[in-house]
Amino acid sequence: MPIIPVKAIQLLARRTSEDARQYAYRVLSFCILEFILFPKQKLNEVSLAESLEVSRTPVHDTFFRLFRENYVELYPKRGAFVSTIDPDRVEQAVWSHVQLGKAALNTIYIKNPDPSQLFTLRYLNHQIEDMLLRRELDGISRAITDYMHQLYILAGDMDFIWESLLKTDVDFRRILYLSALNTTVAEGFVYELSSLTDAISERNYDRSCDIYTSILSRTLKLLKPVQQIHPDYFASHKIS
């Protein structure tokens, strides 16, 4: 059985613009974020290369990038393993997202985009609502991340900040994924994101910041319940 399911490979088909390393990174990071590859799982270069239909070299090289961004842990003579979730890294990522997100919201407030520019936020709101109705909960965290990214796009000239955030927030996004699998939690996210779009449309900067902070703080509050459900995913339970 391939280490990455055929269904996932089909979903993440290689783009014409990607070289083998970029493709390997995109697939492996996605599979780690969405628990197709689980914390502590050993990553075999040969099996992964076969699944991706690339040589071992780009997979091997990708491990070092994934290590720098906390997706994997490297052990001498033992190889690469999917990283466990570190609560401290989750807290640090939430703090960074709150501070930089507020800066993006402030820039949006100053720029005062017209309603047509806010269309993407509304579209993402509806997309997340539809996922909830269809009980496609595994896609909600991805859509929430897309929504947050859109704020940086609306702010303009802040996309490089967003890319920097993505290199440090893998544990935050994994907690977001696991949390949003709960219908009640997902409903809370849907409501707050819709309220955030309304506040941005109404140019209510203070309320926008309060809601954005609440969304991020919700993830921190869910950290302990998620750890109780999945204790083996966390850093306190090291690979033996």
Side-chain angles (χ1 to χ4, degrees):
M1 181 177 179
I3 191 169
I4 299 177
V6 173
K7 184 178 180 180
I9 295 295
Q10 292 172 340
L11 175 67
L12 302 166
R14 185 169 176 176
R15 299 165 182 165
T16 55
S17 61
E18 287 180 319
D19 62 29
R21 287 178 179 82
Q22 291 169 329
Y23 174 54
Y25 173 82
R26 182 169 63 87
V27 173
L28 292 178
S29 59
F30 177 92
C31 289
I32 291 169
L33 286 171
E34 305 220 347
F35 292 86
I36 296 169
L37 297 172
F38 294 95
K40 300 185 184 178
Q41 183 173 348
K42 183 173 175 58
L43 300 176
N44 182 283
E45 287 182 14
V46 174
S47 297
L48 288 170
E50 290 176 353
S51 292
L52 298 172
E53 297 184 347
V54 300
S55 68
R56 288 181 60 182
T57 300
V59 174
H60 177 81
D61 292 347
T62 297
F63 284 169
F64 292 98
R65 179 179 177 184
L66 293 170
F67 170 72
R68 291 194 300 271
E69 298 178 13
N70 298 318
Y71 286 93
V72 305
E73 297 168 3
L74 299 178
Y75 294 89
K77 299 182 181 179
R78 297 177 57 205
F81 294 78
V82 177
S83 68
T84 51
I85 299 171
D86 186 331
D88 289 340
R89 289 201 298 249
V90 177
E91 292 185 16
Q92 292 164 7
V94 167
W95 185 88
S96 297
H97 271 289
V98 168
Q99 303 308 313
L100 296 172
K102 285 182 178 179
L105 289 169
N106 182 57
T107 304
I108 293 170
Y109 175 78
I110 293 170
K111 290 180 68 174
N112 190 22
D114 61 55
S116 66
Q117 292 175 291
L118 300 177
F119 171 79
T120 302
L121 295 181
R122 294 287 184 197
Y123 172 79
L124 288 169
N125 285 149
H126 292 315
Q127 186 180 49
I128 297 170
E129 289 169 2
D130 286 344
M131 288 178 182
L132 183 60
L133 287 172
R134 296 194 301 268
R135 292 297 185 265
E136 296 175 359
L137 302 181
D138 59 340
I140 287 181
S141 64
R142 206 180 318 137
I144 292 173
T145 302
D146 289 342
Y147 182 102
M148 294 168 67
H149 183 197
Q150 187 62 29
L151 296 179
Y152 288 78
I153 293 173
L154 280 173
D157 300 323
M158 291 188 71
D159 212 34
F160 72 97
I161 296 177
W162 175 255
E163 292 301 322
S164 297
L165 276 172
L166 293 186
K167 293 178 181 179
T168 60
D169 75 344
V170 57
D171 288 352
F172 161 73
R173 282 185 283 160
R174 286 195 285 182
I175 291 296
L176 184 62
Y177 176 88
L178 291 171
S179 300
L181 294 177
N182 179 290
T183 302
T184 302
V185 172
E187 288 172 347
F189 281 128
V190 167
Y191 173 78
E192 287 193 306
L193 286 172
S194 180
S195 298
L196 177 56
T197 303
D198 290 340
I200 294 171
S201 300
E202 295 162 4
R203 287 180 49 73
N204 190 331
Y205 171 70
D206 289 337
R207 177 160 170 73
S208 297
C209 288
D210 287 344
I211 297 171
Y212 190 78
T213 300
S214 176
I215 293 169
L216 274 296
S217 298
R218 179 188 293 269
T219 309
L220 272 185
K221 292 175 183 176
L222 293 165
L223 183 57
K224 188 173 182 179
V226 169
Q227 189 169 11
Q228 290 174 338
I229 296 170
H230 303 286
D232 289 345
Y233 289 177
F234 285 77
S236 58
H237 295 256
K238 293 294 184 180
I239 298 168
S240 58

